[in-house]
């Protein structure tokens, strides 16, 4: 099968079953509103100059100033569909006694949380890399008096995004956890896997990073750029796709088996480079929030040690 046909085939399969730092970012990112959500939790609305609109963020504030921050990204729907860490897990209970600010952006469906090169008729001109790597951290550090030490966690679609943001973000993120996702490469399968997410939202992958396989895609190739993760804390987790106790009997399409293979391949790439990483390959797990929450709890001690939480 030719490369182009393989790419289209992978896109078709994933659509059927289906989650560069801008150095000139406008410093005008600011809080546009705050809504109490109970306890130390608030909805923090932040204006993004890069995207020209206000972005909602669910935030659990740490007790006292000077705490580090963990950013939790969600899956393909961006959390606006009511499917997220906030909606589907006990993040409020888990982080209640932790010395860390927890930030959960809402939005970014099917965008891969990246900066798109061109305007897209369906998805517009997303600038999520600029928002997550520059604008939002500046606001959080200023408003909450945070330490500037950050970790980022991605799940499903955003697992690869979290790796990409950590690679491209310089010192912004000291630690990353990629859960049940597929770090991108510029081979046909990798292009297809990344493209499938944009296609699900009606977007044109060519508007994201330009011609598939070209320089724009190579700049986001996690395998080619993995060396830039040296010195960072890395936690990778995925499972086989076989339902287990954490899934609570919920049926899911066979996405997790693909994620398990991708995650193992990326762990192998890091090992080849001599970059330490924690890699958890679970014998059961079917791409459910029960599995994701289990992985987050296991990742936390590693992330906490990296950011001083």
């Amino acid at each position: 099968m030719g490369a182009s046909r393989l790419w289209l085939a992978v896109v078709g399969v994933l659509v059927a079953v289906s989650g560069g730092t801008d150095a000139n970012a406008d410093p005008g990112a600011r809080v546009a509103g705050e809504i109490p959500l109970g306890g130390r939790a608030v909805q923090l609305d932040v204006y993004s100059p890069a995207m020209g609109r206000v972005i909602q963020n669910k935030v659990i504030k740490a007790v006292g100033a000077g705490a580090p921050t963990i950013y939790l990204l969600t899956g393909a729907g961006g959390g606006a569909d009511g499917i997220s860490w906030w909606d589907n897990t006990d993040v409020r209970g888990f982080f209640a006694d932790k010395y860390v600010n927890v930030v959960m952006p809402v939005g970014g469906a099917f965008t891969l949380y990246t900066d798109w090169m061109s305007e897209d008729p369906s998805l517009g001109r997303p600038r999520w890399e600029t928002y997550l790597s520059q604008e939002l951290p500046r606001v959080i550090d200023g408003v909450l008096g945070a330490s500037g030490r950050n970790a980022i966690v991605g799940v499903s679609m955003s697992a690869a995004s979290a790796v990409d943001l950590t690679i491209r973000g310089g010192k912004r993120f000291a630690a990353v956890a990629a859960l049940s996702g597929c770090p991108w490469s510029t081979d046909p399968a990798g292009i297809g896997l990344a493209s499938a997410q944009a296609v699900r939202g009606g977007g044109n992958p060519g508007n994201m990073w330009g011609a598939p396989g070209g320089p724009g895609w190579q700049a986001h190739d996690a395998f080619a750029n993995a060396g830039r993760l040296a010195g960072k804390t890395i936690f990778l987790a995925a499972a086989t796709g076989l339902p287990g106790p954490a899934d609570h009997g919920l049926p899911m399409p066979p996405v997790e088996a693909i994620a398990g293979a991708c995650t193992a391949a990326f762990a192998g790439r890091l090992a080849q480079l001599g970059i330490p990483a924690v890699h958890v390959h679970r014998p059961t797990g079917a791409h459910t929030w029960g599995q994701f929450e289990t992985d987050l709890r296991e990742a936390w001690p590693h992330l906490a040690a990296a950011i001083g939480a």
Side-chain angles (χ1 to χ4, degrees), residues 44-67:
L44 202 64
D45 296 333
V46 174
Y47 174 72
S48 164
M51 290 191 276
R53 60 188 178 89
V54 172
I55 308 295
Q56 292 183 11
N57 306 271
K58 298 292 197 305
V59 177
I60 304 170
K61 299 179 180 180
V63 177

Side-chain angles (χ1 to χ4, degrees), residues 78-191:
D81 54 359
I83 301 173
S84 69
W85 293 106
W86 176 265
D87 297 293
N88 298 94
T89 71
D90 185 28
V91 289
R92 281 168 282 186
F94 179 68
F95 286 107
D97 62 347
K98 309 292 191 294
Y99 183 59
V100 67
N101 301 298
V102 184
V103 180
M104 295 162 277
V106 179
F110 310 113
T111 67
L112 281 72
Y113 290 108
T114 191
D115 284 359
W116 284 49
M117 284 186 167
S118 304
E119 186 80 17
D120 186 85
S122 295
L123 298 176
R125 181 78 186 280
R127 301 283 291 173
W128 281 94
E129 180 180 336
T130 297
Y131 179 71
L132 293 169
S133 294
Q134 296 295 319
E135 295 175 340
L136 182 58
R138 278 202 293 262
V139 170
I140 293 297
D141 290 354
V143 172
L144 302 186
S147 70
R149 293 285 291 176
N150 306 307
I152 188 167
V153 178
V155 63
S156 193
M157 177 192 78
S158 67
S161 304
V163 171
D164 188 47
L165 289 163
T166 303
I167 289 172
R168 292 171 58 81
K171 296 180 179 179
R172 178 65 71 189
F173 301 108
V176 58
L179 313 178
S180 296
C182 219
W184 310 303
S185 65
T186 50
D187 63 10
I191 292 170

Side-chain angles (χ1 to χ4, degrees), residues 149 173-175 226-234 274-276 306:
R149 293 285 291 176
F173 301 108
R228 290 159 65 182
L229 290 171
K232 299 181 184 292
T233 293
I234 306 163
I275 298 175

Side-chain angles (χ1 to χ4, degrees), residues 10-19 156 193 196-197 200 252-258 287:
V10 174
V11 171
V13 169
L14 292 184
V15 170
V17 299
S18 307
S156 193
L193 290 164
Q197 305 299 337
R200 283 185 62 200
M252 289 295 293
V255 176
E256 189 64 25
I258 299 173
H287 213 74

